[in-house]
Amino acid sequence: MRRPSGATANDAQLAFVGALLLMIALTAGFYLDALRGEPPARWLLAQLGAFMALIIIAMSRISMRIVNASIEERQDAEQAAQTAFDAVEAPERYIARPPRRNLAIICIALFTTAQWYQPGGRISAWLALAAACAMLNLMGDWHVGRALWRRWPLMLYASYAAMAAGYGLTGLSLLGDGLLANGSLHLLTIGGLGLSIYAVIAIAGYTHSGLEKDDRAWVPVGACLLATSAPLRAAASLADAPIPLLALSAALWCIAFTLMGWHMLPVFMRPRADGRSGCAGVLGED
């Protein structure tokens, strides 16, 4: 993608430093309240809101390449199936539109702020529902046909779906008796945060190691384990005997990231396969 006019080469690094400083400040606030004997949970919830916003920002960059690559692969497959006399219509490119993305970030920020000042209030409930609607609206950009059903875009899309479900369940819970508040929190952490981290490591981990992405079965298997772990953990909030569900959810989460560690740690421990350095992409892509 072309860099916007006036942007410098250090913009991405400066954004990373700003996000890191924000996380450090929120973590320091947590420990400060804990040492003073104050309930520190508000800092964790604020940090979760910051993570959700950062996921949306990062996903807008990653998705532009992943979804469009899937569209191109789908087009190539269809073209190969056609005769030389049949014309294959060029597919529409996927664009991560800033208005939808910004709306989702604003709604999440407003909900996080409301929860800080009025935990469990009606305003927080409606803002959580607004955040869920904004996430569903953002997901509309991803509806590009069968190209979405390939492993890489589908994993990223599923993390957005978990975020929408988490905020939606949070809003409904706060409007009701609050029984699902804990479960909705785990939809955001295990589903939204966990699945997005898993997907990005699987994608960028190979690309920035000078390798093509791994097409073996362990990648979607691990993603499915995480996608199953999140609702199981949420369901445990309502179960009369939650321990089996909690244990199963934790086991699925651990298996997913153990799979990732088993396959990717050797990649990270050795020099780049293409001899390049830093975070450069696969040779020939840049």
Side-chain angles (χ1 to χ4, degrees):
M1 282 191 309
R2 180 177 296 176
R3 187 177 297 276
S5 176
T8 68
N10 292 323
D11 283 348
Q13 287 79 359
L14 291 175
F16 173 78
V17 170
L20 183 61
L21 291 175
L22 174 61
M23 291 302 172
I24 291 174
L26 293 173
T27 303
F30 171 86
Y31 284 107
L32 182 62
D33 271 6
L35 291 173
R36 295 188 304 171
E38 299 284 341
R42 60 177 182 164
W43 294 97
L44 293 179
L45 295 176
Q47 197 166 48
L48 178 61
F51 271 124
M52 295 297 104
L54 289 173
I55 287 171
I56 294 172
I57 294 171
M59 202 82 78
S60 67
R61 299 183 179 184
I62 298 170
S63 64
M64 290 283 284
R65 171 169 291 189
I66 294 301
V67 177
N68 283 318
S70 182
I71 292 174
E72 291 168 4
E73 289 170 7
R74 182 72 192 176
Q75 182 191 20
D76 291 342
E78 291 178 351
Q79 193 165 10
Q82 301 291 329
T83 67
F85 301 99
D86 293 327
V88 177
E89 186 177 345
E92 184 178 352
R93 301 284 292 177
Y94 161 78
I95 300 175
R97 293 176 172 84
R100 293 189 179 193
R101 179 173 70 248
N102 294 339
L103 177 62
I105 292 172
I106 290 170
C107 288
I108 290 172
L110 289 174
F111 165 73
T112 303
T113 303
Q115 276 289 79
W116 176 276
Y117 289 105
Q118 190 187 30
R122 290 282 181 174
I123 295 177
S124 298
W126 290 112
L127 287 173
L129 293 176
C133 291
M135 288 303 304
L136 292 173
N137 179 54
L138 179 58
M139 290 164 63
D141 283 340
W142 293 63
H143 298 161
V144 293
R146 285 180 286 182
L148 175 62
W149 296 98
R150 295 174 178 264
R151 68 169 67 185
W152 303 112
L154 190 57
M155 283 195 298
L156 300 175
Y157 182 83
S159 68
Y160 272 6
M163 291 170 63
Y167 281 115
L169 195 60
T170 296
L172 294 175
S173 178
L174 293 179
L175 288 175
D177 52 17
L179 288 177
L180 288 173
N182 190 42
S184 62
L185 185 65
H186 285 88
L187 282 177
L188 293 173
T189 52
I190 298 175
L193 181 59
L195 189 55
S196 63
I197 290 174
Y198 179 92
V200 171
I201 291 177
I203 293 169
Y206 280 96
T207 300
H208 295 314
S209 297
L211 299 169
E212 296 294 340
K213 295 184 292 295
D214 196 335
D215 289 329
R216 289 177 292 178
W218 71 266
V219 178
V221 167
C224 288
L225 291 176
L226 284 175
T228 305
S229 173
L232 282 176
R233 181 60 183 82
S237 302
L238 296 177
D240 294 331
I243 299 302
L245 289 176
L246 291 174
L248 180 57
S249 175
L252 295 179
W253 190 95
C254 290
I255 293 171
F257 280 101
T258 299
L259 270 174
M260 170 165 283
W262 178 265
H263 287 283
M264 298 205 66
L265 277 177
V267 174
F268 295 151
M269 296 295 290
R270 61 176 180 255
R272 285 186 57 129
D274 57 1
R276 306 180 83 187
S277 61
C279 292
V282 176
L283 190 62
E285 286 189 358
D286 298 341

mmCIF file with all atom_site columns, all heavy atoms in Angstrom, residues 118-134:
data_model
loop_
_atom_site.group_PDB
_atom_site.id
_atom_site.type_symbol
_atom_site.label_atom_id
_atom_site.label_alt_id
_atom_site.label_comp_id
_atom_site.label_asym_id
_atom_site.label_entity_id
_atom_site.label_seq_id
_atom_site.pdbx_PDB_ins_code
_atom_site.Cartn_x
_atom_site.Cartn_y
_atom_site.Cartn_z
_atom_site.occupancy
_atom_site.B_iso_or_equiv
_atom_site.pdbx_formal_charge
_atom_site.auth_seq_id
_atom_site.auth_comp_id
_atom_site.auth_asym_id
_atom_site.auth_atom_id
_atom_site.pdbx_PDB_model_num
ATOM 1   N N   . GLN A 1 118 ? -19.000 4.155  35.633 1.00 0.00 ? 118 GLN A N   1
ATOM 2   C CA  . GLN A 1 118 ? -20.272 3.629  36.119 1.00 0.00 ? 118 GLN A CA  1
ATOM 3   C C   . GLN A 1 118 ? -20.371 2.144  35.774 1.00 0.00 ? 118 GLN A C   1
ATOM 4   O O   . GLN A 1 118 ? -21.116 1.754  34.879 1.00 0.00 ? 118 GLN A O   1
ATOM 5   C CB  . GLN A 1 118 ? -21.448 4.392  35.496 1.00 0.00 ? 118 GLN A CB  1
ATOM 6   C CG  . GLN A 1 118 ? -22.788 4.068  36.132 1.00 0.00 ? 118 GLN A CG  1
ATOM 7   C CD  . GLN A 1 118 ? -23.931 4.716  35.373 1.00 0.00 ? 118 GLN A CD  1
ATOM 8   O OE1 . GLN A 1 118 ? -23.855 4.923  34.165 1.00 0.00 ? 118 GLN A OE1 1
ATOM 9   N NE2 . GLN A 1 118 ? -24.992 5.057  36.095 1.00 0.00 ? 118 GLN A NE2 1
ATOM 10  N N   . PRO A 1 119 ? -19.619 1.314  36.483 1.00 0.00 ? 119 PRO A N   1
ATOM 11  C CA  . PRO A 1 119 ? -19.610 -0.119 36.160 1.00 0.00 ? 119 PRO A CA  1
ATOM 12  C C   . PRO A 1 119 ? -21.008 -0.729 36.278 1.00 0.00 ? 119 PRO A C   1
ATOM 13  O O   . PRO A 1 119 ? -21.704 -0.540 37.275 1.00 0.00 ? 119 PRO A O   1
ATOM 14  C CB  . PRO A 1 119 ? -18.667 -0.716 37.211 1.00 0.00 ? 119 PRO A CB  1
ATOM 15  C CG  . PRO A 1 119 ? -17.851 0.437  37.700 1.00 0.00 ? 119 PRO A CG  1
ATOM 16  C CD  . PRO A 1 119 ? -18.736 1.640  37.616 1.00 0.00 ? 119 PRO A CD  1
ATOM 17  N N   . GLY A 1 120 ? -21.392 -1.450 35.244 1.00 0.00 ? 120 GLY A N   1
ATOM 18  C CA  . GLY A 1 120 ? -22.668 -2.157 35.286 1.00 0.00 ? 120 GLY A CA  1
ATOM 19  C C   . GLY A 1 120 ? -23.878 -1.283 35.096 1.00 0.00 ? 120 GLY A C   1
ATOM 20  O O   . GLY A 1 120 ? -25.014 -1.746 35.275 1.00 0.00 ? 120 GLY A O   1
ATOM 21  N N   . GLY A 1 121 ? -23.696 -0.013 34.718 1.00 0.00 ? 121 GLY A N   1
ATOM 22  C CA  . GLY A 1 121 ? -24.830 0.892  34.562 1.00 0.00 ? 121 GLY A CA  1
ATOM 23  C C   . GLY A 1 121 ? -25.556 0.702  33.244 1.00 0.00 ? 121 GLY A C   1
ATOM 24  O O   . GLY A 1 121 ? -25.099 0.012  32.339 1.00 0.00 ? 121 GLY A O   1
ATOM 25  N N   . ARG A 1 122 ? -26.727 1.342  33.141 1.00 0.00 ? 122 ARG A N   1
ATOM 26  C CA  . ARG A 1 122 ? -27.518 1.239  31.923 1.00 0.00 ? 122 ARG A CA  1
ATOM 27  C C   . ARG A 1 122 ? -26.806 1.860  30.722 1.00 0.00 ? 122 ARG A C   1
ATOM 28  O O   . ARG A 1 122 ? -26.909 1.363  29.603 1.00 0.00 ? 122 ARG A O   1
ATOM 29  C CB  . ARG A 1 122 ? -28.866 1.948  32.130 1.00 0.00 ? 122 ARG A CB  1
ATOM 30  C CG  . ARG A 1 122 ? -29.791 1.220  33.090 1.00 0.00 ? 122 ARG A CG  1
ATOM 31  C CD  . ARG A 1 122 ? -30.434 0.045  32.390 1.00 0.00 ? 122 ARG A CD  1
ATOM 32  N NE  . ARG A 1 122 ? -31.350 -0.661 33.271 1.00 0.00 ? 122 ARG A NE  1
ATOM 33  C CZ  . ARG A 1 122 ? -32.129 -1.661 32.891 1.00 0.00 ? 122 ARG A CZ  1
ATOM 34  N NH1 . ARG A 1 122 ? -32.096 -2.065 31.638 1.00 0.00 ? 122 ARG A NH1 1
ATOM 35  N NH2 . ARG A 1 122 ? -32.931 -2.270 33.739 1.00 0.00 ? 122 ARG A NH2 1
ATOM 36  N N   . ILE A 1 123 ? -26.090 2.952  30.969 1.00 0.00 ? 123 ILE A N   1
ATOM 37  C CA  . ILE A 1 123 ? -25.353 3.574  29.866 1.00 0.00 ? 123 ILE A CA  1
ATOM 38  C C   . ILE A 1 123 ? -24.318 2.603  29.314 1.00 0.00 ? 123 ILE A C   1
ATOM 39  O O   . ILE A 1 123 ? -24.154 2.459  28.100 1.00 0.00 ? 123 ILE A O   1
ATOM 40  C CB  . ILE A 1 123 ? -24.695 4.881  30.335 1.00 0.00 ? 123 ILE A CB  1
ATOM 41  C CG1 . ILE A 1 123 ? -25.760 5.913  30.719 1.00 0.00 ? 123 ILE A CG1 1
ATOM 42  C CG2 . ILE A 1 123 ? -23.769 5.428  29.259 1.00 0.00 ? 123 ILE A CG2 1
ATOM 43  C CD1 . ILE A 1 123 ? -25.200 7.205  31.249 1.00 0.00 ? 123 ILE A CD1 1
ATOM 44  N N   . SER A 1 124 ? -23.625 1.912  30.225 1.00 0.00 ? 124 SER A N   1
ATOM 45  C CA  . SER A 1 124 ? -22.637 0.920  29.795 1.00 0.00 ? 124 SER A CA  1
ATOM 46  C C   . SER A 1 124 ? -23.299 -0.180 28.972 1.00 0.00 ? 124 SER A C   1
ATOM 47  O O   . SER A 1 124 ? -22.738 -0.649 27.973 1.00 0.00 ? 124 SER A O   1
ATOM 48  C CB  . SER A 1 124 ? -21.944 0.311  31.019 1.00 0.00 ? 124 SER A CB  1
ATOM 49  O OG  . SER A 1 124 ? -21.237 1.294  31.748 1.00 0.00 ? 124 SER A OG  1
ATOM 50  N N   . ALA A 1 125 ? -24.485 -0.602 29.397 1.00 0.00 ? 125 ALA A N   1
ATOM 51  C CA  . ALA A 1 125 ? -25.186 -1.672 28.689 1.00 0.00 ? 125 ALA A CA  1
ATOM 52  C C   . ALA A 1 125 ? -25.492 -1.276 27.247 1.00 0.00 ? 125 ALA A C   1
ATOM 53  O O   . ALA A 1 125 ? -25.226 -2.032 26.298 1.00 0.00 ? 125 ALA A O   1
ATOM 54  C CB  . ALA A 1 125 ? -26.477 -2.020 29.426 1.00 0.00 ? 125 ALA A CB  1
ATOM 55  N N   . TRP A 1 126 ? -26.045 -0.084 27.068 1.00 0.00 ? 126 TRP A N   1
ATOM 56  C CA  . TRP A 1 126 ? -26.410 0.342  25.719 1.00 0.00 ? 126 TRP A CA  1
ATOM 57  C C   . TRP A 1 126 ? -25.184 0.610  24.861 1.00 0.00 ? 126 TRP A C   1
ATOM 58  O O   . TRP A 1 126 ? -25.184 0.363  23.644 1.00 0.00 ? 126 TRP A O   1
ATOM 59  C CB  . TRP A 1 126 ? -27.305 1.584  25.785 1.00 0.00 ? 126 TRP A CB  1
ATOM 60  C CG  . TRP A 1 126 ? -28.668 1.283  26.325 1.00 0.00 ? 126 TRP A CG  1
ATOM 61  C CD1 . TRP A 1 126 ? -29.204 1.683  27.508 1.00 0.00 ? 126 TRP A CD1 1
ATOM 62  C CD2 . TRP A 1 126 ? -29.676 0.475  25.694 1.00 0.00 ? 126 TRP A CD2 1
ATOM 63  N NE1 . TRP A 1 126 ? -30.477 1.192  27.669 1.00 0.00 ? 126 TRP A NE1 1
ATOM 64  C CE2 . TRP A 1 126 ? -30.800 0.452  26.573 1.00 0.00 ? 126 TRP A CE2 1
ATOM 65  C CE3 . TRP A 1 126 ? -29.757 -0.215 24.484 1.00 0.00 ? 126 TRP A CE3 1
ATOM 66  C CZ2 . TRP A 1 126 ? -31.963 -0.250 26.265 1.00 0.00 ? 126 TRP A CZ2 1
ATOM 67  C CZ3 . TRP A 1 126 ? -30.919 -0.912 24.183 1.00 0.00 ? 126 TRP A CZ3 1
ATOM 68  C CH2 . TRP A 1 126 ? -31.998 -0.923 25.062 1.00 0.00 ? 126 TRP A CH2 1
ATOM 69  N N   . LEU A 1 127 ? -24.118 1.090  25.481 1.00 0.00 ? 127 LEU A N   1
ATOM 70  C CA  . LEU A 1 127 ? -22.891 1.312  24.716 1.00 0.00 ? 127 LEU A CA  1
ATOM 71  C C   . LEU A 1 127 ? -22.244 -0.016 24.315 1.00 0.00 ? 127 LEU A C   1
ATOM 72  O O   . LEU A 1 127 ? -21.629 -0.114 23.248 1.00 0.00 ? 127 LEU A O   1
ATOM 73  C CB  . LEU A 1 127 ? -21.909 2.152  25.530 1.00 0.00 ? 127 LEU A CB  1
ATOM 74  C CG  . LEU A 1 127 ? -22.273 3.636  25.659 1.00 0.00 ? 127 LEU A CG  1
ATOM 75  C CD1 . LEU A 1 127 ? -21.329 4.337  26.618 1.00 0.00 ? 127 LEU A CD1 1
ATOM 76  C CD2 . LEU A 1 127 ? -22.244 4.317  24.283 1.00 0.00 ? 127 LEU A CD2 1
ATOM 77  N N   . ALA A 1 128 ? -22.379 -1.038 25.166 1.00 0.00 ? 128 ALA A N   1
ATOM 78  C CA  . ALA A 1 128 ? -21.877 -2.364 24.790 1.00 0.00 ? 128 ALA A CA  1
ATOM 79  C C   . ALA A 1 128 ? -22.641 -2.901 23.585 1.00 0.00 ? 128 ALA A C   1
ATOM 80  O O   . ALA A 1 128 ? -22.045 -3.475 22.659 1.00 0.00 ? 128 ALA A O   1
ATOM 81  C CB  . ALA A 1 128 ? -22.008 -3.324 25.966 1.00 0.00 ? 128 ALA A CB  1
ATOM 82  N N   . LEU A 1 129 ? -23.962 -2.701 23.577 1.00 0.00 ? 129 LEU A N   1
ATOM 83  C CA  . LEU A 1 129 ? -24.757 -3.117 22.422 1.00 0.00 ? 129 LEU A CA  1
ATOM 84  C C   . LEU A 1 129 ? -24.385 -2.314 21.176 1.00 0.00 ? 129 LEU A C   1
ATOM 85  O O   . LEU A 1 129 ? -24.360 -2.853 20.064 1.00 0.00 ? 129 LEU A O   1
ATOM 86  C CB  . LEU A 1 129 ? -26.249 -2.970 22.734 1.00 0.00 ? 129 LEU A CB  1
ATOM 87  C CG  . LEU A 1 129 ? -26.800 -3.921 23.806 1.00 0.00 ? 129 LEU A CG  1
ATOM 88  C CD1 . LEU A 1 129 ? -28.261 -3.600 24.089 1.00 0.00 ? 129 LEU A CD1 1
ATOM 89  C CD2 . LEU A 1 129 ? -26.649 -5.371 23.369 1.00 0.00 ? 129 LEU A CD2 1
ATOM 90  N N   . ALA A 1 130 ? -24.075 -1.037 21.367 1.00 0.00 ? 130 ALA A N   1
ATOM 91  C CA  . ALA A 1 130 ? -23.633 -0.214 20.240 1.00 0.00 ? 130 ALA A CA  1
ATOM 92  C C   . ALA A 1 130 ? -22.304 -0.736 19.694 1.00 0.00 ? 130 ALA A C   1
ATOM 93  O O   . ALA A 1 130 ? -22.097 -0.764 18.465 1.00 0.00 ? 130 ALA A O   1
ATOM 94  C CB  . ALA A 1 130 ? -23.500 1.241  20.672 1.00 0.00 ? 130 ALA A CB  1
ATOM 95  N N   . ALA A 1 131 ? -21.403 -1.136 20.589 1.00 0.00 ? 131 ALA A N   1
ATOM 96  C CA  . ALA A 1 131 ? -20.124 -1.689 20.144 1.00 0.00 ? 131 ALA A CA  1
ATOM 97  C C   . ALA A 1 131 ? -20.331 -2.983 19.370 1.00 0.00 ? 131 ALA A C   1
ATOM 98  O O   . ALA A 1 131 ? -19.655 -3.235 18.357 1.00 0.00 ? 131 ALA A O   1
ATOM 99  C CB  . ALA A 1 131 ? -19.215 -1.932 21.348 1.00 0.00 ? 131 ALA A CB  1
ATOM 100 N N   . ALA A 1 132 ? -21.272 -3.816 19.831 1.00 0.00 ? 132 ALA A N   1
ATOM 101 C CA  . ALA A 1 132 ? -21.568 -5.058 19.113 1.00 0.00 ? 132 ALA A CA  1
ATOM 102 C C   . ALA A 1 132 ? -22.099 -4.760 17.714 1.00 0.00 ? 132 ALA A C   1
ATOM 103 O O   . ALA A 1 132 ? -21.691 -5.391 16.725 1.00 0.00 ? 132 ALA A O   1
ATOM 104 C CB  . ALA A 1 132 ? -22.580 -5.890 19.900 1.00 0.00 ? 132 ALA A CB  1
ATOM 105 N N   . CYS A 1 133 ? -23.015 -3.801 17.612 1.00 0.00 ? 133 CYS A N   1
ATOM 106 C CA  . CYS A 1 133 ? -23.566 -3.432 16.301 1.00 0.00 ? 133 CYS A CA  1
ATOM 107 C C   . CYS A 1 133 ? -22.481 -2.860 15.392 1.00 0.00 ? 133 CYS A C   1
ATOM 108 O O   . CYS A 1 133 ? -22.453 -3.134 14.180 1.00 0.00 ? 133 CYS A O   1
ATOM 109 C CB  . CYS A 1 133 ? -24.694 -2.418 16.478 1.00 0.00 ? 133 CYS A CB  1
ATOM 110 S SG  . CYS A 1 133 ? -26.179 -3.092 17.265 1.00 0.00 ? 133 CYS A SG  1
ATOM 111 N N   . ALA A 1 134 ? -21.583 -2.066 15.966 1.00 0.00 ? 134 ALA A N   1
ATOM 112 C CA  . ALA A 1 134 ? -20.501 -1.481 15.166 1.00 0.00 ? 134 ALA A CA  1
ATOM 113 C C   . ALA A 1 134 ? -19.563 -2.570 14.650 1.00 0.00 ? 134 ALA A C   1
ATOM 114 O O   . ALA A 1 134 ? -19.063 -2.490 13.521 1.00 0.00 ? 134 ALA A O   1
ATOM 115 C CB  . ALA A 1 134 ? -19.725 -0.464 15.998 1.00 0.00 ? 134 ALA A CB  1
#
